[in-house]
Amino acid sequence: MHCTLAKAMPLEQEFDLCIIGSGPAGLALAHQFLSDEIRICLIESGRFTPNKSAQRLNKGENRGIYYDLEESRCRAIGGTLHMWQGTVAPLDPIDFEKREWIPNSGWPIDAETMRPWYQEAASLLGISAHQSWFDGLPEQMMQEIRRFGIPPATFSPKPFISLKMQVEPLCQQLYRPVLSSSRLLCLSEATATELIESEQGGRIEAAAVSSLCGRHRATLRAKRFVVCAGGLETPRLLLNSRCRSARGVGNEYDVVGRYFMDHPRLRSSVIVTPNSNRAGVLRQISLGRYGAKSGFTLAPALQQAQRIANHNLFIGAASFDVERLALKALRWLRPRRSALVQPVMAKAMPDTLTVATTDVEQRSRTAGNGTQSGSRNRAVRILRRVWRATPVRLRVGIEDLISKQRFERMTFITKIEQHPNPESRITLSDETDPLGVPLLRMAWQLTAEDHENIERFHALISEQFAEAGFDTSDLTFKGPDGEYFFQDSSHPMGATRMADDPRSGVVDANLKVFSQSNLYLCSSSVFPTGGNANATLTILALAIRLGQFLRSHP
């Protein structure tokens, strides 16, 4: 059953379970209880689709590397499924291990523990038939990789499956059974602002919730709580729950908000492919309704020998070629936006499209002499926002069009695994949002070890591809100013990390907050390390695992 918080007032009953957040984790968790005779309340800050009144609550402050706080999460039933591009892959076995060359690494669970839950998550996504891709690429694709000249002794294929146009139907497939269940109450336009701890401490009694306008507020009581609010909002909620401690809930050892990570992305300069006919590896392979593409990682033994984290390398079409194609698509889209995009998006897109095309045109004009537009950061951010505002079907169509082109030039894109760093952290700002909740303050940082790690990885790429016949003499991953331009991947992780003890983490192996008997967290914020895979498949696997744990421990 579904209704808004305003229509559900007053909320007087106590629930057996309260799930905070209806994104992938919250919906997957709710699915585990659909046949159970328990009273569940699922609360969601937004509505059925993203809207400005909800998204404005995402504003925050940046005190480190720029992080796109407003566009990196989505307040709506389905959460980030509304902006997700549908790329999935499991973490590698080495990601769960304690690696002596990476301080603070290691999960309290291993890859074998996660294997059955990854299978359940793949089934939920409808990709069970293609799950064998994660264990090894088909021979046809391996032949293309060998023809292309990727050094096989150094770089191992890392498969990714793309749901492509199935993301939108998947979102509806996940939330419809939940909303139609008579045992579950889904409250939309209900933002959790604080968790209320009992007077004795060690137990959460209720969650304070507010409507988007702040006019309707309620105290929602439950026997158990699971926060599935994502990698940014989960630590923010814990830090703001200060009725018993100024540090917030679960923060006795000042760990909440620390060890924040993402997958920083870097794109190299352009190099010429030895033979444009060998560019098949740049394309996405069709798997019927789905697609697949491969990245490349270092073998675990080589990672250890080189003391390198589990970074990922993608081979991409030359950036200027892509920008020209993207520019053509944007020019074509601009006069047709009212017919092609949802009305809510159309209102916000005219100025954005104008600025974006202007910035890309400027960058394209200056690319030939080795300089770049002074508005580089702004151009990239605007283009990302335009891309995310573009309907999924149109996005997939543009991607397919680009992937079928024959490119004579290419770039390398590296997706970096950060070292867990306690100084890379989320705290609360002195400013508040419209509901009176302190804004999130982000200090995303990379360590000196991260930079050394990145340099070694990039040097290895240059050396190995040069030996394979590529001209890498001018290859660089830095800009004209000699600095890296890091982009986040909207994969916020680590700020309420999983650990064996409360001095080094916030939750245990079963995702229970160490200091609270009835509070659990389920989002990418519990990842102790990030590997190089997109987080969604692991989030779903953890949610299904948690659901079964809660069912077996009533």
Side-chain angles (χ1 to χ4, degrees):
M1 180 174 67
H2 164 259
C3 67
T4 63
L5 173 64
K7 291 182 179 178
M9 297 286 285
L11 281 171
E12 297 178 347
Q13 70 178 112
E14 182 183 47
F15 294 91
D16 295 303
L17 176 65
C18 173
I19 302 171
I20 299 173
S22 73
L27 291 177
L29 181 62
H31 267 251
Q32 308 309 303
F33 296 93
L34 290 180
S35 61
D36 292 10
E37 295 288 342
I38 65 171
R39 296 165 298 174
I40 302 175
C41 184
L42 173 65
I43 65 174
E44 168 54 50
S45 178
R47 300 167 182 164
F48 278 95
T49 56
N51 65 91
K52 290 182 180 179
S53 57
Q55 290 297 105
R56 63 180 178 169
L57 301 178
N58 288 346
K59 290 184 178 180
E61 298 177 6
N62 271 291
R63 295 293 179 90
I65 302 169
Y66 180 84
Y67 199 91
D68 198 339
L69 295 170
E70 293 185 48
E71 299 297 323
S72 60
R73 55 209 196 277
C74 184
R75 293 175 185 261
I77 294 174
T80 51
L81 291 174
H82 289 280
M83 54 182 277
W84 183 41
Q85 295 193 34
T87 305
V88 294
L91 291 173
D92 298 322
I94 194 173
D95 296 327
F96 297 95
E97 298 172 6
K98 184 172 180 59
R99 291 165 276 176
E100 55 86 14
W101 64 97
I102 299 181
N104 303 307
S105 61
W107 291 50
I109 55 178
D110 59 20
E112 280 305 306
T113 300
M114 287 295 291
R115 181 178 292 274
W117 306 112
Y118 274 132
Q119 293 171 351
E120 293 285 339
S123 177
L124 188 66
L125 293 175
I127 60 171
S128 294
H130 306 297
Q131 200 173 351
S132 61
W133 270 72
F134 296 137
D135 298 320
L137 295 176
E139 182 57 26
Q140 175 191 355
M141 198 165 186
M142 290 302 298
Q143 287 177 3
E144 283 194 353
I145 290 170
R146 286 191 288 268
R147 282 198 301 269
F148 191 74
I150 295 170
T154 305
F155 297 102
S156 303
K158 165 79 175 188
F160 290 79
I161 291 178
S162 172
L163 274 64
K164 298 173 70 175
M165 294 187 186
Q166 302 308 308
V167 174
E168 188 176 336
L170 171 67
C171 183
Q172 297 176 9
Q173 175 187 325
L174 286 177
Y175 73 62
R176 279 176 178 167
V178 171
L179 301 189
S180 62
S181 172
S182 59
R183 301 184 184 93
L184 189 147
L185 173 63
C186 178
L187 291 178
S188 60
E189 300 182 45
T191 301
T193 57
E194 185 179 6
L195 299 172
I196 302 169
E197 196 173 357
S198 65
E199 289 186 10
Q200 297 78 18
R203 184 177 183 278
I204 301 300
E205 286 189 339
V209 295
S210 171
S211 61
L212 291 174
C213 63
R215 187 180 308 157
H216 304 283
R217 295 181 182 261
T219 301
L220 196 155
R221 300 186 179 278
K223 295 176 182 176
R224 292 193 287 192
F225 292 83
V226 183
V227 180
C228 301
L232 298 175
E233 288 302 314
T234 296
R236 182 187 181 194
L237 178 60
L238 266 61
L239 289 170
N240 191 52
S241 299
R242 296 174 284 186
C243 63
R244 294 286 173 264
S245 170
R247 284 186 169 183
V249 165
N251 200 24
E252 290 73 18
Y253 295 96
D254 191 28
V255 181
V256 175
R258 294 188 181 273
Y259 299 98
F260 177 81
M261 304 172 291
D262 200 279
H263 289 131
R265 290 180 296 124
L266 292 162
R267 183 185 285 270
S268 78
S269 55
V270 174
I271 65 173
V272 176
T273 60
N275 186 335
S276 62
N277 292 327
R278 297 180 183 174
V281 71
L282 303 181
R283 295 193 291 270
Q284 184 167 262
I285 303 298
S286 177
L287 297 175
R289 295 181 301 168
Y290 307 104
K293 189 172 182 178
S294 182
F296 299 89
T297 61
L298 301 182
L302 188 55
Q303 290 183 37
Q304 183 173 7
Q306 296 282 340
R307 302 184 71 80
I308 291 178
N310 194 15
H311 309 315
N312 205 343
L313 167 67
F314 287 95
I315 312 295
S319 60
F320 305 135
D321 289 346
V322 169
E323 284 176 358
R324 277 197 286 268
L325 284 168
L327 182 58
K328 282 180 66 176
L330 288 172
R331 283 174 175 162
W332 181 87
L333 177 62
R334 187 163 52 187
R336 298 168 174 84
R337 61 183 175 268
S338 59
L340 291 171
V341 300
Q342 297 175 16
V344 173
M345 296 177 180
K347 293 177 182 176
M349 288 183 74
D351 292 339
T352 307
L353 283 170
T354 301
V355 174
T357 50
T358 301
D359 282 341
V360 176
E361 284 169 338
Q362 184 178 358
R363 186 176 174 192
S364 297
R365 283 196 300 272
T366 59
N369 57 20
T371 63
Q372 286 184 306
S373 163
S375 59
R376 180 187 188 188
N377 290 16
R378 182 165 169 261
V380 170
R381 290 169 198 154
I382 290 173
L383 281 168
R384 286 182 70 183
R385 291 184 180 186
V386 171
W387 189 244
R388 285 172 174 168
T390 304
V392 173
R393 291 181 182 277
L394 187 56
R395 258 191 287 168
V396 170
I398 292 173
E399 285 178 339
D400 284 347
L401 176 65
I402 291 175
S403 73
K404 288 179 173 60
Q405 306 300 309
R406 178 171 292 179
F407 296 96
E408 296 182 354
R409 298 178 297 173
M410 69 177 198
T411 57
F412 297 117
I413 303 100
T414 53
K415 192 160 69 170
I416 303 301
E417 180 189 22
Q418 281 187 247
H419 286 207
N421 172 19
E423 298 309 312
S424 181
R425 65 184 302 194
I426 291 168
T427 55
L428 298 179
S429 168
D430 296 328
E431 295 184 40
T432 60
D433 67 17
L435 302 183
V437 178
L439 299 181
L440 184 151
R441 177 181 289 156
M442 172 65 75
W444 182 28
Q445 298 182 25
L446 299 180
T447 64
E449 290 80 7
D450 282 317
H451 284 274
E452 292 171 6
N453 219 261
I454 293 167
E455 293 283 356
R456 285 200 299 275
F457 186 53
H458 288 168
L460 194 63
I461 292 170
S462 182
E463 293 166 6
Q464 292 296 310
F465 276 85
E467 289 182 10
F470 291 77
D471 182 3
T472 62
S473 55
D474 295 323
L475 179 66
T476 180
F477 286 83
K478 295 180 179 179
D481 56 1
E483 299 292 331
Y484 285 122
F485 175 58
F486 293 107
Q487 293 183 59
D488 66 83
S489 298
S490 296
H491 299 163
M493 302 172 287
T496 62
R497 68 199 313 256
M498 195 190 308
D500 286 319
D501 71 90
R503 288 175 175 79
S504 55
V506 179
V507 299
D508 64 18
N510 293 314
L511 305 188
K512 187 184 78 66
V513 174
F514 282 109
S515 62
Q516 303 295 320
S517 63
N518 67 335
L519 177 62
Y520 298 80
L521 311 180
C522 189
S523 74
S524 55
S525 67
V526 306
F527 292 14
T529 52
N532 58 62
N534 303 61
T536 304
L537 190 67
T538 302
I539 292 170
L540 291 172
L542 289 173
I544 296 168
R545 178 175 178 265
L546 175 59
Q548 294 306 310
F549 174 82
L550 293 176
R551 292 183 70 201
S552 61
H553 295 77

